[in-house]
Amino acid sequence: MTAYEVVTPRAVSPLIEGLQGKRAGYREVYEKLQRDPCGHDVGAYRLSGPLEPKVCGVHLRRGYRLAFTMQSPEDEGEPPRVVVLYVGKREPRSRELDVWTVLHDLFGVENPPDDHFKPHCCETDVPDIADAELGAFLKELRGPRLRPKRRRKSPRTGK
Amino acid sequence: MSSIPAKNVRKARSIIALRRTARRDGAVRAELDPVIAELREDLDETMSKTQAAELIGISVPTLDKWVGRRIVPVRKAPSGRPRIPRDTALDLAERVGDLRDRGQKRNLIVGVADTLQREDATYQREFHELYGPGLAALAEGDLVSAAPPESFGTED
């Protein structure tokens, strides 16, 4: 049974599609999020630092991570929503590629150092994000960061 | 057992009932118009897809199909959720109701949208605003389903 609508920014869709063949277990986590993002079988945990009130993380397989937040229904009869904010690989050695660094950059906040407590995502309350903040995040996603990079032509070969 | 419609939907249904009465009986029109206008102002300028679908008497997937075919315009809420303009939902519900009363059960929207696009100034304006040059920008920021593509393997 699906109780939650699981959505993602249009700019993040290609990242999800890019998980095909990676055996990262996205499909399984997606189905669990549809049922109950707070369920213990999802294993979602709260991020530490400035994103703590609004973002939870989930470990996918093979080093991939998924970040999500939640939205209450706007009207009667609508399902609550899970918003998959980002998916990517944990790359602690690469600031450019690390999923958590990218996520914090998109929110315009500092990624705190390690030693995170990782409490259960819904231990005290569900993650919650203001519409304006989500709007700013979506706007940032449309920026150059997620646009496909053009390769520069080599001055020697011209290719 | 069907659920009780949301307050907004109940109010919108009252507006439609009054509008249809006013159309049938010219004598009461002058009295009903201010009441209709007042009730209309009580409603938000947009409504959720669930509410609009309930008002028109169709399923949300059907409404999604109409939105996808650019038959029904949508506005984007700050949360990224699509919202249906109030006046569009009211117009569609009223006209679809008329067709149903005449016994038409299928292809309701094609005839209704065609008439509205030709005759209704509000509908035309909404289309111009929403599906004019700003459409690409509007669509770019949307939230879309996060479902994995069909091609994903069981372990993906």
Side-chain angles (χ1 to χ4, degrees):
Chain A
M1 197 186 87
T2 62
Y4 289 79
E5 184 186 13
V6 186
V7 295
T8 193
R10 198 176 290 273
V12 174
S13 269
L15 303 180
I16 293 172
E17 286 160 17
L19 295 176
Q20 183 173 351
K22 300 275 197 312
R23 293 159 67 196
Y26 174 82
R27 180 192 287 278
E28 188 184 334
V29 169
Y30 168 80
E31 286 168 2
K32 287 176 180 172
L33 289 173
Q34 275 190 313
R35 286 195 294 272
D36 181 9
C38 292
H40 280 272
D41 59 337
V42 180
Y45 55 90
R46 198 61 79 98
L47 263 61
S48 299
L51 297 184
E52 186 259 332
K54 51 198 118 182
V55 182
C56 287
V58 181
H59 280 211
L60 303 179
R61 289 198 290 267
R62 297 178 178 264
Y64 286 93
R65 305 285 188 268
L66 178 152
F68 73 89
T69 188
M70 288 165 72
Q71 287 181 312
S72 333
E74 279 183 342
D75 290 308
E76 291 173 54
E78 280 198 335
R81 297 214 295 189
V82 172
V83 183
V84 175
L85 296 167
Y86 205 81
V87 291
K89 210 159 188 181
R90 183 85 173 97
E91 302 269 11
R93 289 184 195 158
S94 166
R95 203 182 150 75
E96 278 272 303
L97 300 174
D98 178 53
V99 56
W100 297 134
T101 308
V102 172
L103 183 78
H104 283 79
D105 283 354
L106 288 166
F107 272 103
V109 294
E110 200 61 37
N111 187 8
D114 281 344
D115 301 330
H116 298 168
F117 295 114
K118 295 183 182 169
H120 182 260
C121 175
C122 310
E123 193 173 71
T124 49
D125 202 354
V126 296
D128 186 33
I129 191 165
D131 286 351
E133 199 164 9
L134 181 61
F137 177 81
L138 294 173
K139 196 174 168 192
E140 196 61 34
L141 271 174
R142 295 200 294 271
R145 177 180 285 279
L146 288 186
R147 287 204 190 124
K149 289 185 176 71
R150 280 189 188 165
R151 285 180 59 195
R152 267 193 203 159
K153 280 184 183 175
S154 159
R156 278 194 299 181
T157 62
K159 289 179 182 173
Chain B
M1 195 177 80
S2 62
S3 59
I4 298 167
K7 197 175 159 189
N8 276 346
V9 176
R10 290 202 302 272
K11 201 170 277 186
R13 280 185 182 153
S14 304
I15 294 172
I16 291 165
L18 291 172
R19 275 166 46 160
R20 294 177 84 185
T21 308
R23 271 198 287 137
R24 274 199 306 270
D25 186 351
V28 296
R29 182 169 196 137
E31 285 175 53
L32 286 179
D33 276 351
V35 180
I36 293 169
E38 201 171 310
L39 279 171
R40 190 173 150 274
E41 288 306 311
D42 282 350
L43 289 174
D44 289 339
E45 283 193 5
T46 60
M47 57 178 73
S48 69
K49 285 194 300 183
T50 311
Q51 289 183 343
E54 193 179 353
L55 179 65
I56 301 167
I58 54 171
S59 66
V60 174
T62 300
L63 181 61
D64 277 335
K65 208 159 63 182
W66 296 356
V67 169
R69 288 166 61 189
R70 308 263 188 271
I71 288 170
V72 177
V74 286
R75 289 182 191 277
K76 189 172 61 120
S79 62
R81 290 174 197 256
R83 307 275 299 174
I84 309 297
R86 168 196 62 200
D87 294 332
T88 296
L90 287 170
D91 286 346
L92 284 173
E94 188 179 350
R95 310 250 179 165
V96 166
D98 287 347
L99 289 179
R100 283 202 174 115
D101 284 353
R102 281 184 229 137
Q104 188 167 336
K105 287 181 183 161
R106 301 180 66 81
N107 296 327
L108 292 166
I109 191 60
V110 179
V112 169
D114 186 50
T115 314
L116 286 172
Q117 278 174 350
R118 275 188 285 113
E119 296 172 7
D120 193 287
T122 311
Y123 202 76
Q124 284 166 8
R125 195 169 53 248
E126 273 163 359
F127 261 82
H128 181 74
E129 275 175 26
L130 296 171
Y131 292 143
L135 178 64
L138 183 82
E140 206 180 356
D142 278 353
L143 292 167
V144 295
S145 169
E150 293 282 318
S151 52
F152 263 42
T154 47
E155 290 191 42
D156 288 340

